[in-house]
Amino acid sequence: MEIRNQKDFGAGLMYMVVGIFFAYLASQYQMGTPAKMGPGYFPFWIGVLLAAIGLLVLIKSLSAKAAIEKIPAFNWKIIGLITGSVILYGVLLPIMGFAFAILVLVFTSAYASHEFNWRGTLVNAVVLAASTYLVFVLGLKLQFPLLPFFFQ
């Protein structure tokens, strides 16, 4: 057998590993029955379902009808920018407030894209900051620093 679609093969393998891992962890809890589910019942069957989907994707990647796709070279710059943006958000949130931290998060992670456009990124950042404010501060009444520490 030949792996014709490396992307699907890798995705299927990843789904299978994650599904089996969670099914194994969930099996350590009481299962119960379908009528009276225990704490491990739902996560176990979700893990089994994820592993089954992974197996189907993996098998599909081996079929003669699968499109030939190679996994592109690993781009460390993109991974670094996205991971760094999340770390920056965590560091900046208590100091500069969530509005500025979200702007930095969105602009840094958007810069990793080959289709970076500062206008679209600004709109995305403003919408994300507004929706974060509406949901977490007004809706859920969570205490986030809104503005930088020197404005409070």
Side-chain angles (χ1 to χ4, degrees), residues 27-101:
S27 70
Q28 306 301 312
Y29 294 101
Q30 183 181 1
M31 294 298 279
T33 65
K36 190 173 182 182
M37 295 179 198
Y41 188 87
F42 186 71
F44 174 80
W45 287 108
I46 291 295
V48 169
L49 181 64
L50 185 61
I53 290 170
L55 182 62
L56 289 173
V57 170
L58 190 136
I59 290 171
K60 183 183 165 221
S61 74
L62 300 172
S63 92
K65 295 179 182 177
I68 297 176
E69 283 191 57
K70 303 283 184 199
I71 295 176
F74 204 71
N75 193 331
W76 287 102
K77 178 185 172 192
I78 291 174
I79 297 296
L81 281 169
I82 293 173
T83 305
S85 69
V86 174
I87 292 169
L88 267 173
Y89 177 79
V91 170
L92 290 176
L93 180 64
I95 300 166
M96 299 301 288
F98 86 87
F100 183 77

Side-chain angles (χ1 to χ4, degrees), residues 16-31:
M16 287 176 57
V17 168
V18 170
I20 290 168
F21 176 74
F22 279 101
Y24 171 75
L25 286 180
S27 70
Q28 306 301 312
Y29 294 101
Q30 183 181 1
M31 294 298 279

